[in-house]
Amino acid sequence: MAENDAMPSVPKKCGPYISSVTSRGMNLVIRGVVLFFIGVFLALVLNLLQIQRNVTLFPPDVITSIFSSAWWVPPCCGTASAVIGLLYPCMDRHLGEPHKFKREWSSVMRCVAVFVGINHASAKVDFANNIQLSLTLAALSIGLWWTFDRSRSGFGLGVGIAFLATLVSQLLVYNGVYQYTSPDFLYVRSWLPCIFFAGGITMGNIGRQLAMYECKVIAEKSHED
């Protein structure tokens, strides 16, 4: 009994993925790296889809392959994914509203599938005009939030991410880094904010699930000890 009483209690904040790692900073790094590579993978897949349908156009000297064309896109998307995925659970803790709606990996995977489907629709489905496409994708994006998130913080962050990402895209196109075919919202497509909104919700759900998985691992470890 004396030995059990002398054992240190488990901290309230979630611990690491690996039992030998106890630093919260290292834990954040691990989660960030995982989110980064998820973002890179999704960027490669979705970028290839957009290029094949001539939705986005890059300079001809760099379009020989998916890896050489727009080499900066995957790292930028990976970095943004890491920031978003870490920001969502941090905001939940800050607001004191832990997100518990559909917290399982199967739900997260379905969210990713719906996000990829929304991107697929933006590139493959032919609508009468861009406004009709934009309204359809906006409804699908809000439906994604309602189905897999339903939190006020998630919606607010999604809107903020969509605004900032669209602004950055406008600046990049304005400076000739790349371009969109048939732009109807200044220099880009009007449905682009919907894609960014859905992407923010998706990466936020992945980040929340990683944080929750981390809590589960440390709880099971403490129970075994």
Side-chain angles (χ1 to χ4, degrees), residues 105-182:
W105 279 111
S106 60
S107 175
V108 174
M109 292 302 101
R110 287 195 297 270
C111 182
V112 173
V114 173
F115 172 59
V116 174
I118 292 174
N119 279 270
H120 188 270
S122 70
K124 292 274 187 178
V125 180
D126 294 323
F127 287 83
N129 51 62
N130 283 335
I131 295 178
Q132 185 179 358
L133 174 59
S134 301
L135 292 176
T136 301
L137 294 184
L140 291 174
S141 299
I142 295 175
L144 180 143
W145 167 78
W146 180 257
T147 304
F148 301 103
D149 191 313
R150 295 192 188 180
S151 67
R152 291 175 297 177
S153 61
F155 187 86
L157 284 173
V159 172
I161 291 166
F163 174 79
L164 291 176
T166 303
L167 178 61
V168 171
S169 297
Q170 296 277 13
L171 293 175
L172 291 175
V173 175
Y174 177 78
N175 287 281
V177 178
Y178 70 102
Q179 63 180 340
Y180 283 88
T181 56
S182 304

Side-chain angles (χ1 to χ4, degrees), residues 6-222:
M7 291 179 60
S9 59
V10 179
K12 293 183 180 180
K13 291 185 177 180
C14 299
Y17 295 104
I18 305 172
S19 59
S20 60
V21 180
T22 57
S23 169
R24 179 170 174 78
M26 180 59 68
N27 176 40
L28 289 174
V29 170
I30 294 173
R31 267 196 286 156
V33 170
V34 173
L35 289 164
F36 175 85
F37 282 108
I38 292 175
V40 168
F41 174 76
L42 288 176
L44 289 173
V45 174
L46 300 178
N47 187 37
L48 178 61
L49 177 63
Q50 299 288 337
I51 290 176
Q52 285 181 336
R53 291 289 294 180
N54 291 323
V55 174
T56 54
L57 300 177
F58 294 91
D61 57 336
V62 294
I63 202 165
T64 55
S65 70
I66 184 59
F67 295 102
S68 62
S69 66
W71 61 268
W72 48 269
V73 171
C76 289
C77 290
T79 302
S81 299
V83 172
I84 294 170
L86 294 175
L87 183 61
Y88 265 74
C90 178
M91 185 64 67
D92 291 339
R93 289 194 299 268
H94 179 72
L95 296 176
E97 299 177 355
H99 188 263
K100 298 180 180 180
F101 181 70
K102 289 190 176 182
R103 293 295 87 213
E104 63 273 346
W105 279 111
S106 60
S107 175
V108 174
M109 292 302 101
R110 287 195 297 270
C111 182
V112 173
V114 173
F115 172 59
V116 174
I118 292 174
N119 279 270
H120 188 270
S122 70
K124 292 274 187 178
V125 180
D126 294 323
F127 287 83
N129 51 62
N130 283 335
I131 295 178
Q132 185 179 358
L133 174 59
S134 301
L135 292 176
T136 301
L137 294 184
L140 291 174
S141 299
I142 295 175
L144 180 143
W145 167 78
W146 180 257
T147 304
F148 301 103
D149 191 313
R150 295 192 188 180
S151 67
R152 291 175 297 177
S153 61
F155 187 86
L157 284 173
V159 172
I161 291 166
F163 174 79
L164 291 176
T166 303
L167 178 61
V168 171
S169 297
Q170 296 277 13
L171 293 175
L172 291 175
V173 175
Y174 177 78
N175 287 281
V177 178
Y178 70 102
Q179 63 180 340
Y180 283 88
T181 56
S182 304
D184 63 319
F185 179 51
L186 295 180
Y187 304 103
V188 301
R189 293 283 190 92
S190 57
W191 46 259
L192 194 61
C194 305
I195 300 297
F196 289 138
F197 175 84
I201 298 298
T202 302
M203 294 311 304
N205 276 348
I206 296 175
R208 282 166 164 168
Q209 192 63 24
L210 287 173
M212 180 170 286
Y213 178 70
E214 169 195 340
C215 295
K216 182 179 178 181
V217 169
I218 193 61
E220 291 177 351
K221 180 64 178 177
S222 61

